[in-house]
Amino acid sequence: MKFNYFYIFLIIFVLFANTISAKGDKMEKATFAGGCFWCMEQPFEKLEGVTNVVSGYTGGSGKNPTYDNYGKKGHMEAIQITYDPEKITYNDLLGVFWRHIDPTDAGGQFVDRGPYYRSAIFYHDENQKTLAEKSKKELEKSGIFKKPIVTEIIKASEFYKAEEYHQDYYKTCPIRYNIYKKGSGRDKFIKEHWNNKERPKKSSEEKIKKSLTPLQYKVTQQCGTEPPFNNEYWNNKKEGIYVDIISGEPLFSSLDKFDSGTGWPSFIKPLKQENIVEKEDNSLFMKRTEVRSKHGDSHLGHVFDDGPKPTGLRYCINSAALRFIPKEDLEKEGYGEYKKLFEK
């Protein structure tokens, strides 16, 4: 039998092309307006999972806008981000976005004035809309800003790429860019309001105390420990995720939960490692590693090295520090990006 190498090559090519296409299908878009697009490109381009950031114009009705007329056509300066949702979530991008704008200014951003410099989130699907609205409400509740949050949440429309000389301006014209940014007041504003964090500061002590039960307060704020085998989630076998009782940040997944026999919820790893802070704990005359949430700063429990494979770790966590979101409620609770974890 003779091999037809042409057909073999064709099959290999089709398989390779389908693989590339499948990878491309995983990428998603996020579009934000935060005043001068020069200043909005830089903080997103350095994030792991972001593959491209483009400066451009959107939000208006006029076709083919340019830098000379985009305002007259109703557009705003904006950036469009291409990212891998398996490496960085839309919530993470929202956190960076809020940190780099003044969400209380309806007349523009910093030294740039006019409706084409106002802030906005352009959502590409209903899940992005839900997450954007939730993050806006959380920011309003945080008390960081004394004025109302006026950043708009708008359905994404056609995005027009800006002229080439506007792309990566902080790289191509660093001297002019740095002079402009320093004089704009943006960096000073970020330092004053965000304290170099990418999410709102922790709620006030009084607010926290009112929102928690006595046990939740003792555990999360006073490093207490709840009774074993007599807590809400030690034997919970439902599918879903566990979030911080105060901040709502995702912490653990039921897929990583196991029965450690200790009477407390135990996990082999966090759902999002960046939301976990580990600290040395020398209390009770022993050396342990405390586990806290990054943004809520809640005491969660401790991590030990006697867990099962593949990590060999046991995150021993207090139920009182957690809130469980069943997989069927992830979308409506604003955690829609985690639904895919439970799809068979």
Side-chain angles (χ1 to χ4, degrees):
M1 179 186 290
K2 292 184 179 180
F3 287 101
N4 191 321
Y5 290 103
F6 172 77
Y7 287 110
I8 293 174
F9 173 78
L10 184 61
I11 291 170
I12 293 173
F13 175 79
V14 169
L15 290 173
F16 177 76
N18 286 339
T19 301
I20 297 297
S21 175
K23 288 183 177 179
D25 289 344
K26 294 180 181 179
M27 306 306 287
E28 294 183 7
K29 302 270 187 197
T31 305
F32 303 125
C36 174
F37 45 33
W38 296 347
C39 297
M40 294 299 290
E41 270 192 331
Q42 186 180 18
F44 290 98
E45 284 197 335
K46 64 184 180 182
L47 299 176
E48 183 180 356
V50 170
T51 60
N52 194 28
V53 183
V54 177
S55 289
Y57 317 110
T58 194
S61 56
K63 300 290 185 182
N64 302 314
T66 66
Y67 190 65
D68 294 326
N69 64 20
Y70 74 89
K72 295 177 182 177
K73 293 190 174 188
H75 293 285
M76 300 189 296
E77 287 196 13
I79 57 167
Q80 189 160 91
I81 302 160
T82 303
Y83 68 99
D84 185 346
E86 293 186 357
K87 295 181 179 178
I88 188 169
T89 69
Y90 189 68
N91 262 334
D92 293 328
L93 298 177
L94 286 169
V96 177
F97 168 74
W98 290 122
R99 183 182 182 268
H100 286 84
I101 68 164
D102 179 356
T104 68
D105 192 345
Q109 289 290 292
F110 309 105
V111 296
D112 297 308
R113 313 312 299 165
Y116 30 85
Y117 286 120
R118 67 191 191 274
S119 62
I121 298 169
F122 294 92
Y123 62 88
H124 290 261
D125 55 41
E126 288 303 307
N127 184 50
Q128 286 191 357
K129 181 183 180 183
T130 300
L131 293 174
E133 289 174 343
K134 183 181 178 185
S135 69
K136 183 176 178 179
K137 288 178 182 177
E138 287 177 351
L139 184 58
E140 288 170 336
K141 291 178 181 178
S142 71
I144 292 177
F145 300 99
K146 306 305 178 186
K147 301 176 183 177
I149 306 301
V150 297
T151 300
E152 299 170 70
I153 298 176
I154 307 168
K155 186 174 183 180
S157 55
E158 188 164 3
F159 182 89
Y160 297 91
K161 183 178 178 181
E163 294 81 353
E164 203 57 41
Y165 67 86
H166 286 302
Q167 309 302 324
D168 292 323
Y169 195 80
Y170 71 97
K171 293 179 183 177
T172 59
C173 300
I175 296 176
R176 185 178 175 190
Y177 169 78
N178 287 326
I179 292 173
Y180 162 77
K181 191 178 182 188
K182 186 176 181 180
S184 72
R186 190 185 291 260
D187 287 344
K188 182 181 178 182
F189 181 88
I190 292 171
K191 186 176 181 181
E192 288 176 352
H193 289 81
W194 291 95
N195 195 27
N196 294 322
K197 293 183 179 179
E198 290 192 355
R199 287 180 182 259
K201 295 178 183 176
K202 185 178 174 182
S203 302
S204 69
E205 192 76 15
E206 187 179 347
K207 276 187 177 181
I208 289 175
K209 199 164 189 175
K210 286 181 178 179
S211 67
L212 302 177
T213 67
L215 178 60
Q216 289 170 338
Y217 184 81
K218 181 181 178 181
V219 167
T220 61
Q221 306 304 301
Q222 299 176 330
C223 298
T225 302
E226 66 195 5
F229 302 103
N230 186 22
N231 55 77
E232 191 171 3
Y233 302 127
W234 77 272
N235 200 30
N236 182 29
K237 294 181 172 59
K238 293 180 180 179
E239 290 189 311
I241 68 171
Y242 296 82
V243 303
D244 184 279
I245 191 70
I246 296 172
S247 67
E249 60 199 285
L251 298 174
F252 299 97
S253 166
S254 63
L255 299 174
D256 302 312
K257 190 172 185 287
F258 70 100
D259 183 2
S260 63
T262 61
W264 288 288
S266 299
F267 306 87
I268 61 172
K269 65 178 181 179
L271 175 58
K272 291 194 66 177
Q273 187 66 55
E274 59 266 37
N275 287 346
I276 295 294
V277 175
E278 298 180 7
K279 294 184 177 182
E280 186 175 313
D281 178 6
N282 296 310
S283 63
L284 302 178
F285 305 102
M286 60 179 124
K287 187 175 180 179
R288 297 177 295 172
T289 301
E290 180 193 9
V291 179
R292 303 186 71 89
S293 61
K294 180 178 179 181
H295 306 296
D297 194 29
S298 303
H299 169 75
L300 304 175
H302 294 84
V303 59
F304 303 93
D305 59 4
D306 58 3
K309 294 180 180 181
T311 67
L313 298 176
R314 171 171 61 93
Y315 285 84
C316 187
I317 307 299
N318 289 279
S319 292
L322 304 173
R323 184 165 76 93
F324 178 67
I325 314 291
K327 65 178 183 180
E328 59 268 22
D329 293 340
L330 289 172
E331 190 79 55
K332 70 178 183 181
E333 290 274 3
Y335 299 94
E337 71 256 47
Y338 298 106
K339 284 177 62 178
K340 61 187 176 186
L341 295 176
F342 305 98
E343 294 172 356
K344 305 297 183 184

